[in-house]
Amino acid sequence: MRLLREHAQTGDVQISLLWNSAADLDLACIDPLGEEVDCGRPSSSGGTVDVDMNGTIRISLPERL
């Protein structure tokens, strides 16, 4: 539900990092061409970070049960 709420994109490969605090965690990965994909650095194969939370005032909160 949180990914839908934040309008996260989907694709052939999708990596999601979810956590329940105001900490600013960052996720990076290496695409099949050996390029690093992280916030602000898409790869030439089309990999990109589409939702970046907690770096500014956008705080990701869990859904209420």
Side-chain angles (χ1 to χ4, degrees):
M1 297 297 291
R2 197 182 315 185
L3 295 173
L4 291 174
R5 182 188 69 202
E6 300 302 334
H7 305 289
Q9 302 295 310
T10 60
D12 292 336
V13 176
Q14 178 176 330
I15 302 170
S16 302
L17 174 64
L18 301 172
W19 66 102
N20 295 322
S21 78
D24 181 24
L25 303 181
D26 294 312
L27 178 68
C29 68
I30 305 297
D31 77 358
L33 300 177
E35 296 181 46
E36 183 173 346
V37 181
D38 64 16
C39 186
R41 183 180 5 188
S43 72
S44 60
S45 67
T48 185
V49 173
D50 67 330
V51 177
D52 183 24
M53 298 300 295
N54 300 359
T56 58
I57 60 171
R58 286 184 67 195
I59 303 297
S60 178
L61 298 174
E63 281 71 58
R64 293 183 183 257
L65 298 175

